[in-house]
Amino acid sequence: MAQRRSARGGPGGSRRPGGRGAAQRSRTARAAAAPAAGGRRPRFTGRAAILVLVVAVLTVSYASSLRAYLQQRSHIADLKAQISERSASIDDLEREKRRWHDPAFVQAQARERFGYLMPGQTSYVVLGEDGKPLEDDTELPDPSDVREREPEAWWGPVWKSAELAGDPPRHQAPPATDIKAPAGKRR
């Protein structure tokens, strides 16, 4: 049998002069000739379109997942705020419940809400002009809220009076000669 020569130049065979190097040169020549003959190769190929499509789908799926995550975090924060408010409300109610176990507090509430008195005490009710009791809501203002007037020196009004006597104002209405009672208080 005759030995076959391998293109790769295996044992018993010699290497062909136009082997791998010639094939590469012919491909390079075709590649160089192709752009010159047909113009430029298109930049946007089918593979690039599929890659852009896959990236777009991944972006949309991640964006929707991120939106859901952020909504859940916001909802969790709202729920935590509600829990803290309700805990504070429960604490206030428990504190008031403990206060109702104190006899002094119960007595004070009975006096305030229902007008009850202890034996030996006298109740006074202030009536208005119409004969109805005045509201209990009337309170004196807090002394720290009241603005204090600076005291005026005694000689200030005296000096103003002396100045006014020496130079009276000229355009002043004359005093009324007939004094009338206000419209609502006539007899």
Side-chain angles (χ1 to χ4, degrees):
M1 289 196 161
Q3 274 189 330
R4 277 180 81 182
R5 288 188 181 178
S6 122
R8 294 183 186 165
S14 66
R15 200 161 224 206
R16 287 188 354 198
R20 201 183 326 171
Q24 284 180 345
R25 278 179 278 189
S26 68
R27 275 190 235 134
T28 308
R30 272 186 269 152
R40 293 176 44 183
R41 283 182 64 193
R43 288 185 180 190
F44 196 70
T45 62
R47 287 182 183 172
I50 292 172
L51 179 64
V52 167
L53 181 65
V54 168
V55 168
V57 168
L58 289 175
T59 302
V60 169
S61 68
Y62 285 137
S64 64
S65 298
L66 180 64
R67 182 176 51 91
Y69 172 76
L70 293 175
Q71 285 178 343
Q72 289 173 353
R73 296 299 295 172
S74 173
H75 187 66
I76 288 171
D78 292 341
L79 291 176
K80 285 182 179 179
Q82 286 179 358
I83 288 171
S84 66
E85 288 174 8
R86 290 185 180 161
S87 299
S89 175
I90 289 170
D91 292 342
D92 291 342
L93 291 172
E94 287 177 351
R95 189 177 316 114
E96 185 160 345
K97 182 180 173 183
R98 285 191 304 268
R99 289 174 63 189
W100 279 103
H101 290 294
D102 181 19
F105 180 75
V106 173
Q107 287 177 358
Q109 291 299 312
R111 279 190 199 110
E112 183 179 321
R113 293 183 182 188
F114 305 118
Y116 288 1
L117 299 173
M118 295 297 289
Q121 291 181 336
T122 305
S123 174
Y124 296 99
V125 178
V126 180
L127 301 176
E129 293 176 359
D130 56 356
K132 294 181 181 177
L134 292 178
E135 297 293 323
D136 292 338
D137 296 338
T138 55
E139 294 180 5
L140 292 174
D142 186 17
S144 62
D145 292 342
V146 178
R147 286 183 35 196
E148 291 185 26
R149 289 186 303 156
E150 286 207 25
E152 189 175 357
W154 65 270
W155 59 83
V158 173
W159 184 254
K160 286 180 186 173
S161 173
E163 286 180 341
L164 184 62
D167 189 23
R170 294 198 173 118
H171 301 289
Q172 191 174 13
T177 57
D178 186 22
I179 300 176
K180 296 180 184 177
K185 301 234 179 182
R186 289 189 182 173
R187 291 185 190 189

